[in-house]
Amino acid sequence: MEIIKNNSWLMLFVLFTCFSLKSHVSFGADTISANQSLSGDQTIVSKGGVFVFGFFNPAPGKSSNYYIGMWYNKVSERTIVWVANREQPVSDRFSSVLNISDGNLVLFNESQLPIWSTNLTATSRRSVDAVLLDEGNLVLRDLSNNLSEPLWQSFDHPAHTWIPGMKLTFNKRNNVSQLLTSWKNKENPAPGLFSLELAPDGSNQYVILWNRSEQYWRSGTWDDNAKIFSLVPEMTLNYIYNFSYVSNENESYFTYNVKDSTYTSRFIMDF
């Protein structure tokens, strides 16, 4: 870990990981509607076959814990990018159910107790569904109007993976940072010791915190002309990426995308 701490170039490459896309694609329904549920080995697949959402076990044969989350469909090794119930696994995926309840997406465990929810103000009058997008965003939509703004989206609740197009934001209105938080270990997606956030002091830099308190690494401030963070000059060598930093009166955030669509990429906060 000391190598990562003292070498910004290694830090960048540890965090950014690319995979070659596989040619075969499996398709399936991309939506959970009000009269549907997800259980057992059932999954939904984004419209273009990029992402899959369903139950998974991060340590088959070693653990009976199951989680519901999202992974790449086109990468041969299952690679999880988002987990809903990070701290509350279920032991029986066949008797656990994810469905729409009172205008929320809710996960009920094997005892039919709610253990995870999108946690919006409930209203039985609202007609909603949940759709998995090819961008890797799970979106809860209000079907009763034509507003494009989602009621809830997984992009606003990152786990340990930062997907291209996703923003990691500091909200200036309520002084709240979105955190990218590591797993405890490769077999346990519960929040671990390391987290990445945009520094709330207005210095326009990202910091990695150890145990949510002690600064472990920092990117340096953003240089808008060079399009790099000052302590990561090697970002200029990453020709497959487009980097962008935005700061306005409401929020600050950093985002990136991949120039070559034959690659899929993730930014991961490793344990």
Side-chain angles (χ1 to χ4, degrees):
M1 294 300 293
E2 287 301 312
I3 296 174
I4 296 174
K5 183 177 180 180
N6 296 319
N7 189 320
S8 58
W9 179 228
L10 182 57
M11 167 64 72
L12 189 71
F13 268 84
V14 167
L15 293 178
F16 277 98
T17 309
C18 283
F19 304 93
S20 293
L21 293 178
K22 301 300 178 181
S23 59
H24 109 271
V25 178
S26 60
F27 292 91
D30 63 351
T31 303
I32 302 173
S33 61
N35 60 350
Q36 295 175 324
S37 62
L38 208 62
S39 187
D41 293 328
Q42 296 173 330
T43 60
I44 58 173
V45 181
S46 63
K47 188 174 182 179
V50 181
F51 288 96
V52 184
F53 181 78
F55 287 92
F56 73 96
N57 183 333
K62 298 180 181 179
S63 171
S64 60
N65 289 337
Y66 283 86
Y67 302 84
I68 195 158
M70 187 189 313
W71 60 90
Y72 291 108
N73 189 40
K74 299 179 180 181
V75 176
S76 55
E77 181 179 351
R78 179 177 289 181
T79 304
I80 306 299
V81 299
W82 187 77
V83 184
N85 56 321
R86 294 185 71 173
E87 298 182 81
Q88 292 187 284
V90 300
S91 58
D92 186 350
R93 68 189 188 280
F94 292 99
S95 58
S96 300
V97 176
L98 180 77
N99 61 21
I100 304 290
S101 177
D102 291 330
N104 279 282
L105 194 59
V106 183
L107 175 61
F108 296 89
N109 67 8
E110 54 277 355
S111 300
Q112 298 307 299
L113 296 175
I115 61 169
W116 176 85
S117 170
T118 49
N119 203 30
L120 302 173
T121 302
T123 168
S124 58
R125 295 187 299 274
R126 185 163 57 207
S127 176
V128 304
D129 69 5
V131 59
L132 180 61
L133 304 179
D134 279 328
E135 292 79 11
N137 194 12
L138 181 68
V139 174
L140 191 67
R141 306 179 297 187
D142 187 349
L143 301 178
S144 62
N145 61 57
N146 295 320
L147 296 178
S148 59
E149 191 71 20
L151 297 170
W152 178 95
Q153 59 182 352
S154 60
F155 268 13
D156 290 337
H157 305 273
H160 78 317
T161 303
W162 194 350
I163 300 171
M166 181 179 173
K167 302 185 297 186
L168 200 60
T169 302
F170 173 67
N171 189 316
K172 297 178 181 179
R173 291 168 295 179
N174 54 22
N175 293 323
V176 173
S177 293
Q178 288 178 326
L179 297 176
L180 201 69
T181 308
S182 67
W183 288 21
K184 278 193 172 182
N185 55 61
K186 65 180 180 180
E187 298 174 352
N188 186 349
L193 288 176
F194 294 94
S195 60
L196 177 75
E197 67 174 333
L198 187 58
D201 59 8
S203 60
N204 294 348
Q205 66 177 324
Y206 280 90
V207 294
I208 290 180
L209 300 178
W210 178 80
N211 208 21
R212 307 278 178 100
S213 58
E214 183 178 336
Q215 189 176 121
Y216 182 79
W217 177 87
R218 61 190 179 93
S219 67
T221 57
W222 176 254
D223 184 332
D224 199 45
N225 292 319
K227 302 298 181 184
I228 63 171
F229 288 103
S230 61
L231 297 183
V232 196
E234 298 87 353
M235 287 176 71
T236 58
L237 301 178
N238 268 301
Y239 298 123
I240 67 169
Y241 298 109
N242 282 317
F243 299 107
S244 180
Y245 179 81
V246 176
S247 182
N248 55 46
E249 61 180 8
N250 295 319
E251 62 182 3
S252 298
Y253 64 86
F254 179 67
T255 188
Y256 74 101
N257 59 57
V258 183
K259 298 178 182 179
D260 188 344
S261 61
T262 63
Y263 291 94
T264 187
S265 178
R266 62 174 183 162
F267 184 115
I268 180 172
M269 187 68 249
D270 202 353
F271 61 87

